[in-house]
């Protein structure tokens, strides 16, 4: 399975998931109107977008020491962990945010990206479906869930085509589903 990380800068396994939540998309989560000059979350986002992950983490940690409940900064720490391929740490961040703020779809989406990148489409699907139960207006969640469904459909059609190699229609369906899917499942 191939799936990208946030921003499309680093890639978990090579290809983009069509709609992931980036740090820039997520700031502000709660309509933060803090001026940019004193908005640490925006500064952290800018550092992330420039690939300055250590600086971004240092700033986030410094600001979280003063305000440990800053949801934006906590989320951005998870993004930094994803970008630096520290997926276990990123999972912990997003899982904690989901427990505390189940109505925010961004954490579900990013956690689903991690699980999909690990080949666990079932867990990714479950997370995205839970996100929609809590926030049915998340375009990113619908798009990501569509990618998961397309990947699963491509896999099922490919398996059916292998069982009936002379069935041209199954091969055609497998190819159409594969073309639609941005997640590629590789057989062992």
């Amino acid at each position: 399975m191939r799936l990208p990380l946030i921003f499309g800068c680093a890639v978990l396994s090579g290809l983009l998931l069509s709609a992931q939540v980036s740090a820039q998309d997520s700031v502000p989560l709660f309509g933060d109107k803090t001026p940019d000059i004193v908005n640490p979350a925006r500064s952290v986002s800018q550092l992330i977008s420039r690939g300055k992950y250590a600086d971004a983490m240092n700033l986030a940690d410094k600001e979280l020491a003063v305000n440990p409940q800053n949801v934006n900064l906590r989320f951005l720490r998870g993004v930094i962990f994803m970008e630096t391929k520290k997926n276990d740490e990123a999972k912990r961040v997003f899982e904690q945010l989901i427990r505390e703020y189940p109505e925010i779809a961004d954490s579900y989406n990013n956690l689903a990206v991690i699980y999909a990148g690990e080949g666990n489409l079932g867990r990714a699907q479950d997370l995205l479906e839970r996100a929609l139960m809590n926030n049915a207006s998340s375009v990113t969640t619908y798009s990501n869930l569509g990618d998961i469904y397309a990947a699963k459909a491509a896999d099922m059609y490919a398996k059916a085509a292998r069982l009936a190699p002379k069935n041209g229609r199954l091969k055609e369906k497998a190819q159409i589903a594969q073309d639609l899917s941005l997640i590629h499942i590789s057989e062992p």
Side-chain angles (χ1 to χ4, degrees), residues 12-171:
L12 283 173
S13 304
L15 268 187
L16 289 175
L17 181 64
S18 66
Q20 346 177 23
V21 180
S22 72
Q24 291 174 333
D25 294 338
S26 69
V27 176
L29 293 175
F30 292 111
D32 185 355
K33 303 272 190 242
T34 307
D36 287 349
I37 198 160
V38 294
N39 187 333
R42 187 157 316 277
S43 297
V44 170
S45 291
Q46 290 169 350
L47 288 168
I48 293 170
S49 67
R50 285 183 261 164
K52 297 184 177 192
Y53 305 119
D55 292 341
M57 186 64 82
N58 288 337
L59 179 57
D61 287 344
K62 177 182 151 203
E63 294 296 330
L64 284 167
V66 176
N67 182 5
Q69 293 306 311
N70 185 315
V71 178
N72 291 326
L73 288 173
R74 290 171 60 200
F75 175 81
L76 290 172
R77 285 185 87 247
V79 170
I80 294 165
F81 286 133
M82 285 181 73
E83 288 289 344
T84 56
K85 299 187 183 348
K86 296 178 181 171
N87 289 339
D88 289 339
E89 291 92 336
K91 284 179 186 178
R92 282 191 284 278
V93 169
F94 296 132
E95 287 167 351
Q96 183 64 36
L97 287 171
I98 287 169
R99 281 191 292 277
E100 294 177 33
Y101 304 97
E103 70 280 4
I104 300 175
D106 297 6
S107 297
Y108 292 94
N109 278 296
N110 283 25
L111 189 55
V113 166
I114 293 169
Y115 280 108
E118 294 173 349
N120 191 342
L121 296 182
R123 178 73 173 124
Q125 178 180 336
D126 177 59
L127 284 162
L128 295 169
E129 288 172 347
R130 283 181 40 213
L132 290 175
M133 288 190 313
N134 292 310
N135 180 352
S137 64
S138 172
V139 173
T140 301
T141 306
Y142 281 109
S143 179
N144 284 348
L145 190 55
D147 288 340
I148 296 295
Y149 290 156
K152 285 181 150 188
D155 186 44
M156 292 299 110
Y157 285 128
K159 286 178 181 174
R162 281 192 299 277
L163 292 172
K166 293 182 182 180
N167 187 329
R169 182 70 180 137
L170 283 175
K171 287 180 185 177

